[in-house]
Amino acid sequence: MTLPAPAKTLPSPAPGPAADEGLARRLRALACTAPLHDLDVRKANLAGEYGVYAMAEVALAAIDLVTLNMDFDTGADHEQIVARLLPRVAAQAPSRPAAEHERVARWVLENLINVGSVDRGFRAIYGTFGPDGVYVRRDYDFKLIEEVPYGGAVYLRTTDEAVNVLVGALDTDVTSAQIAAEVKLEVLISRGRLADAQLAAEQARYRTVQYAETLRRTLDATRRNVRAVDWLQAVPDMIAEALEHVADRYRHENAILTNIRKARDEAEEPENKRRAAELVDIVKDCIRRHTQLQSRLLDAGPLFRAEQDRQAFAAPAPRTGIDLYGQLVAPILPRPVEEARRVTDAFFAAGAGLRTPVSVRVADLVEILLTPPVEREHLGAQMPEPDLIATPDDSRFTEEQLAAAMQLLDLPHDAPRRLSGLLAEARRSDADLPYLVALLAVHAASPAVGTAYRQGEERLLFAVDDGTQLDDPEFGGADLIVGTALLDAAGMAADRAESS
C-alpha cells in the first residue's frame, strides 16, 4: 500500500507583515515620483519644441520653492513661485523667448497642482498581502502641491508626499528624521565637509516644515469638527512631544550655529566661506521656524477650548431642501386629479405652516363697523393696455440645426463614437453645425444624471475624456468619446410610485 506524498507548502510571498508594510511604503514613495517623470513624457504633446527642457528638474525646483516660501498659516504666492522659476527655466534654453520660459514654468506648476482633475490629486495602484495571504490591490491618493484659501486669497502649500520626494526619503517618522538630519549635520560640520553639511541642513529644514504641516492639519481639522480629532490622548501627547522636541532642537541648532560661525571665520578658501555663510542662513531659518512652531503649539490648547465652545453651541445645520419637480410634480402629473389633489393638499397644508390669528381690539372693531362701505365698480378698475414689444430672435442656431444635431447625437447605447468623427459628419451637411455638436458634447461631459433620473428620462447623452488629442481643423482639446446611456426605467417607476 502506497501512501500519498504530503502536500508541499507554498512559500510565503513575503517574510512577514513588517516586510510587506515596508514594501508598501516604498511603492507609495515611488508613486509620488511618477507625476514628475510623467512631465518629461507629456512635454511632447505641447505645441512647440519643448524637448530641450528638463521638466522633472523644474518640478523639483518648484516643490523646493513652495516648501521654503510657505508660512505656518499662509502658503506661497503662485505668481512669486513662477517668477522665481523663470531663471532656472531660462538657463536650460537661453536662446528661447521669455514668453516660452514663462509658459514652461506655469505648465509645470499647474501639472504639479493637477489642475485638470476633479479633486486635483493623483492616484496610484499598488498591491499588498492581507492577513490571510491574499494579494489585494489598493488605491493610493496623494497630492504634491495643493491650493489653500487664507484671508480671501489662494496660496500654494506642499504636502508630506512632496517633501518626501524632495528630500529623497521614504514615508518616515518626522521626529526621528529631524533628529537624524541634525546629528548628521553636526558630524559633517565638525569634519569640515561643508558641501555635504549644506545638503543635510536643507533636509533638516524640510523636515521642520513637514512637522509644522502636521500640526497645521490637526488644527484645521479641529476648526472643522472638534470630534474628529483625539484631543483626549493623541493630540496632547503629540503637543507635549513636539514642545520637548522643539526645545531640544533649539539648543542643538544654537550649538550647530556656533560651530558654523567658527568654521566660517577660520576658513581660508572662499568657497568654504561661502558655504559656511549659506549654512548660517539655513540654520537661522530652522530656528525661526521652530520658534514659530513653538508659539503655535502653545496656542493649540486655547484654540481647542474655543472651538469646543463654539461648535457645542452652534446652530444645527439646515436640512437639505426637497426637489419640487422630481419629488412632487413629476410623480403626480400622470395620476388622476382625485389622487393628485390628496397629495398636493397634504403637501401644502404641511408646507404653509401655522397662521397666527390677529388679535382684535374693541376700538378697531367699532371703527370697522361704523365705516360706510366704499362703492366699487361692478367690473373693477380699468386695466391699462400693455405695450408689448416683440423680442428679436438673436439665437445663433436655428431649430432645424438643433434637430439635425440631436439626430446626429442620437447614438445607439452600445455604439459610442469619437467627437472627431461627429464633427466631420456634421461639417459635411452644414458649416455651422459642428459648433453646435461640439457645444452639446462638451455639455455632456458632466451630465446631470440625478435630474434626468428624477424627470423620468430613459436616455442620457454622456462624453468621456480618455486622454486622446482631438485632431480637427477648427477645434482643439480632447477627442471625447460620446455615447448614450440607458437609465433604469423600472427603478424610476418604483420611485415615483413610492413618492406618491
Side-chain angles (χ1 to χ4, degrees):
M1 180 177 180
T2 304
L3 296 176
K8 295 183 178 180
T9 304
L10 295 176
S12 176
D20 194 52
E21 179 61 28
L23 177 62
R25 282 202 307 269
R26 284 180 286 167
L27 289 173
R28 291 194 295 266
L30 183 63
C32 293
T33 64
L36 276 66
H37 300 298
D38 189 53
L39 292 175
D40 283 316
V41 175
R42 291 190 295 108
K43 67 183 179 182
N45 298 332
L46 293 174
E49 295 294 333
Y50 291 89
V52 68
Y53 296 101
M55 299 300 186
E57 179 183 334
V58 178
L60 279 175
I63 295 174
D64 193 353
L65 288 173
V66 174
T67 304
L68 298 181
N69 284 277
M70 67 184 188
D71 206 348
F72 188 90
D73 293 322
T74 62
D77 183 69
H78 192 286
E79 297 300 325
Q80 183 182 7
I81 298 301
V82 172
R84 294 190 177 186
L85 272 178
L86 289 179
R88 177 172 289 272
V89 179
Q92 296 182 0
S95 59
R96 299 294 178 88
E100 182 178 298
H101 297 159
E102 183 177 356
R103 184 188 178 190
V104 171
R106 291 187 182 277
W107 183 78
V108 170
L109 191 57
E110 289 176 358
N111 279 272
L112 290 176
I113 304 172
N114 205 4
V115 174
S117 62
V118 177
D119 58 348
R120 299 201 169 186
F122 301 95
R123 170 170 292 185
I125 300 176
Y126 66 98
T128 59
F129 291 94
D132 51 356
V134 179
Y135 185 76
V136 182
R137 295 189 182 275
R138 303 184 185 276
D139 294 336
Y140 176 49
D141 297 315
F142 64 96
K143 295 181 179 181
L144 295 179
I145 297 179
E146 56 184 353
E147 296 175 316
V148 293
Y150 184 81
V154 178
Y155 296 94
L156 302 178
R157 298 192 71 92
T158 52
T159 61
D160 288 343
E161 293 82 3
V163 175
N164 285 329
V165 170
L166 185 63
V167 301
L170 297 177
D171 186 10
T172 54
D173 178 66
V174 176
T175 307
S176 60
Q178 175 75 19
I179 296 174
E182 292 185 354
V183 171
K184 178 181 178 182
L185 174 62
E186 185 179 15
V187 172
L188 291 173
I189 292 173
S190 63
R191 295 181 179 179
R193 297 170 58 183
L194 296 182
D196 296 333
Q198 182 176 359
L199 179 59
E202 292 175 350
Q203 292 180 351
R205 180 167 55 176
Y206 297 143
R207 289 302 177 188
T208 303
V209 173
Q210 191 175 9
Y211 203 98
E213 191 70 9
T214 302
L215 176 64
R216 187 188 67 84
R217 284 200 305 270
T218 302
L219 297 181
D220 286 345
T222 303
R223 292 187 182 96
R224 290 191 297 269
N225 185 6
V226 72
R227 296 181 180 88
V229 183
D230 183 11
W231 278 90
L232 185 62
Q233 184 174 359
V235 178
D237 292 346
M238 186 269 289
I239 292 176
E241 180 183 355
L243 287 172
E244 183 180 357
H245 163 79
V246 168
D248 292 341
R249 301 281 66 75
Y250 187 77
R251 290 192 296 269
H252 200 72
E253 287 163 353
N254 275 282
I256 292 175
L257 191 61
T258 303
N259 293 331
I260 298 174
R261 286 171 175 166
K262 182 179 179 182
R264 179 193 61 187
D265 297 338
E266 296 177 354
E268 297 179 357
E269 298 182 4
E271 181 66 18
N272 290 339
K273 282 186 174 291
R274 184 184 63 83
R275 290 192 179 275
E278 292 177 353
L279 275 172
V280 170
D281 294 336
I282 294 175
V283 176
K284 280 184 177 180
D285 186 48
C286 288
I287 295 175
R288 181 188 65 83
R289 290 179 183 273
H290 276 130
T291 305
Q292 187 182 37
L293 177 61
Q294 182 185 23
S295 64
R296 298 296 179 178
L297 288 169
L298 295 177
D299 293 339
L303 173 67
F304 162 68
R305 291 187 289 271
E307 289 297 325
Q308 189 180 36
D309 293 342
R310 182 183 67 83
Q311 297 178 24
F313 298 102
R319 297 182 179 179
T320 57
I322 63 173
D323 183 3
L324 286 179
Y325 181 84
Q327 298 179 0
L328 180 66
V329 179
I332 67 175
L333 280 179
R335 301 289 180 180
V337 178
E338 303 285 343
E339 300 179 9
R341 183 174 181 180
R342 291 199 300 269
V343 177
T344 53
D345 288 349
F347 172 79
F348 287 108
L354 302 176
R355 183 174 299 172
T356 306
V358 180
S359 120
V360 180
R361 299 186 305 169
V362 177
D364 297 335
L365 182 60
V366 171
E367 183 179 358
I368 292 173
L369 292 175
L370 296 181
T371 301
V374 179
E375 296 184 2
R376 298 179 180 178
E377 296 290 339
H378 179 64
L379 298 178
Q382 184 177 3
M383 298 295 294
E385 188 70 22
D387 187 11
L388 302 178
I389 301 176
T391 304
D393 185 10
D394 55 353
S395 59
R396 176 178 177 180
F397 305 105
T398 63
E399 294 293 335
E400 291 78 10
Q401 289 176 327
L402 178 60
M406 297 305 295
Q407 182 180 1
L408 185 62
L409 294 175
D410 188 13
L411 305 172
H413 70 278
D414 56 349
R417 295 183 57 183
R418 286 282 183 184
L419 177 59
S420 56
L422 294 172
L423 294 176
E425 185 175 347
R427 192 173 288 113
R428 286 194 293 267
S429 59
D430 190 350
D432 291 335
L433 192 59
Y435 293 91
L436 181 57
V437 173
L439 181 63
L440 294 174
V442 172
H443 182 70
S446 179
V449 181
T451 303
Y453 185 87
R454 289 193 299 268
Q455 294 181 0
E457 298 180 10
E458 298 181 357
R459 298 165 62 89
L460 179 66
L461 186 68
F462 70 92
V464 179
D465 179 13
D466 64 342
T468 305
Q469 194 75 13
L470 178 61
D471 186 11
D472 190 87
E474 294 182 281
F475 302 96
D479 194 359
L480 302 176
I481 300 176
V482 184
T484 303
L486 299 180
L487 299 181
D488 185 8
M492 289 187 285
D495 287 347
R496 288 196 296 268
E498 184 179 353
S499 300
S500 60

